[in-house]
Amino acid sequence: MKCFTKVGRRAAVLLDQLRHQSSVAQAPGLRSYPVIGSMLNLPADNVWHLQRRAAKANAPDIYLMFANGYSKMGHFYTMGFPGVGEGVHGTIYICSDPEEYVQVIRGEGLHPSGAVETQWPSISALKRMPGADEPGGATRGALNIFGHGEAWRQERMFFQQDLQTPKAARGYIPGLAKAAQLASRGAPACADSMDSFAARSSFDLFTAAFFGQLIESADPATPSLPGNLEFAEAILDATMLLVPMLQSPVEMLKDRVGVESADARLLRDKFSVTMEHASGLVRSFVERWDA
């Protein structure tokens, strides 16, 4: 009976794998070409502009791209995303069914994969910064967060343990509530620049939780140090550079051969601003803790 059960289980697993392979092979998808993937087949009004040189971002809603994909191809489809996906086409699989996707999350074990590890422009920028090879340093720690493996898990667990316990939550939830209150108050004044507002709001929430400090940058009417605003804007600028670089086969080719493009250099500069400011926040926190 046990033997039959084992054979039956193995047969069930094999059948499930065959069904999965069949469904993946038959999945609809955007037309894809080697090296450039599906970039030519994305609707023009859904692609992020390749440059952001002005203070105001001129980028359409990227969420619309996925909404259109869902409406045309359903819950599961493919597209070519060079530098991110698999093979010469850069094939990625998009699943918008939460019940299906939860199976992926549960099956990934201790070292799940995530979107950050595909952000090769960010990883290359960090590797070019001072301290990238210094164990225990800020830059090395940031690289671990962008990784996939035990180093990533150790960094993640270090933060998780101090965030998820009820005792820890009682310490930072009041700060989050206050930061959210200030952000809500400032939202109407930021109607024309919600991307900047979102970056500053997330910065306020993060510093409230991790450092017990209200930066108060989300509400324009609230005084905030210029360095705090520069940090939030640098994060936003880096994000606006990142997506076009991920979509550019030329940028990817330059990176693969060790050439730092103008956009890659600008991304590194933005990261340097954020790392320097973040280090200052940590030093300030440690000094207040020791006082």
Side-chain angles (χ1 to χ4, degrees):
M1 186 66 177
K2 290 182 180 178
C3 182
F4 177 78
T5 301
K6 290 181 180 179
V7 172
R9 286 177 180 173
R10 291 179 61 186
V13 170
L14 180 59
L15 286 172
D16 184 65
Q17 290 175 344
L18 289 173
R19 280 196 297 267
H20 173 72
Q21 292 172 1
S22 177
S23 62
V24 169
Q26 297 174 7
L30 291 173
R31 181 175 294 178
S32 179
Y33 304 94
V35 182
I36 61 174
S38 299
M39 298 301 105
L40 295 179
N41 291 288
L42 293 174
D45 60 346
N46 289 337
V47 182
W48 290 58
H49 287 261
L50 295 181
Q51 304 293 336
R52 183 187 187 249
R53 293 293 179 261
K56 182 177 176 61
N58 184 21
D61 187 353
I62 196 169
Y63 298 108
L64 183 61
M65 180 178 77
F66 295 108
N68 286 343
Y70 168 74
S71 65
K72 294 177 181 178
M73 290 174 283
H75 285 297
F76 185 71
Y77 60 95
T78 68
M79 66 178 291
F81 207 137
V84 175
E86 300 175 342
V88 70
H89 288 256
T91 303
I92 62 174
Y93 304 90
I94 300 170
C95 175
S96 57
D97 185 336
E99 293 185 358
E100 288 290 335
Y101 198 76
V102 75
Q103 299 178 46
V104 177
I105 296 174
R106 289 174 176 170
E108 288 197 303
L110 292 177
H111 304 141
S113 58
V116 292
E117 68 190 77
T118 67
Q119 293 180 13
W120 56 263
S122 301
I123 296 170
S124 292
L126 288 168
K127 286 181 176 179
R128 291 187 175 106
M129 292 173 60
D133 297 323
E134 297 177 10
T139 306
R140 184 68 254 172
L143 277 168
N144 289 340
I145 292 294
F146 280 91
H148 175 89
E150 189 58 27
W152 167 87
R153 183 172 177 272
Q154 289 178 2
E155 296 283 352
R156 184 65 181 265
M157 291 302 294
F158 176 78
F159 290 112
Q160 256 179 233
Q161 290 172 357
D162 289 333
L163 284 175
Q164 294 186 338
T165 64
K167 182 180 179 180
R170 283 194 295 270
Y172 65 76
I173 289 296
L176 291 182
K178 182 63 175 177
Q181 182 184 32
L182 291 171
S184 298
R185 187 188 306 163
C190 303
D192 294 332
S193 55
M194 288 304 293
D195 52 354
S196 177
F197 170 75
R200 289 185 278 114
S201 297
S202 63
F203 179 42
D204 287 359
L205 292 165
F206 179 85
T207 54
F210 277 75
F211 303 115
Q213 184 177 358
L214 286 172
I215 300 299
E216 302 185 18
S217 66
D219 184 359
T222 305
S224 185
L225 295 175
N228 295 331
L229 299 178
E230 183 185 11
F231 173 87
E233 289 301 315
I235 289 288
L236 179 61
D237 289 341
T239 303
M240 298 304 294
L241 280 166
L242 179 63
V243 176
M245 289 180 69
L246 283 169
Q247 293 179 337
S248 171
V250 175
E251 288 286 347
M252 182 177 64
L253 181 60
K254 287 181 179 180
D255 182 75
R256 294 288 172 86
V257 298
V259 175
E260 186 179 33
S261 68
D263 278 353
R265 192 176 305 113
L266 182 58
L267 182 65
R268 176 165 54 86
D269 291 343
K270 297 298 181 182
F271 275 13
S272 295
V273 171
T274 61
M275 294 288 285
E276 182 179 353
H277 192 73
S279 297
L281 287 173
V282 172
R283 287 193 298 270
S284 175
F285 175 77
V286 171
E287 290 170 1
R288 287 187 287 118
W289 182 268
D290 292 338

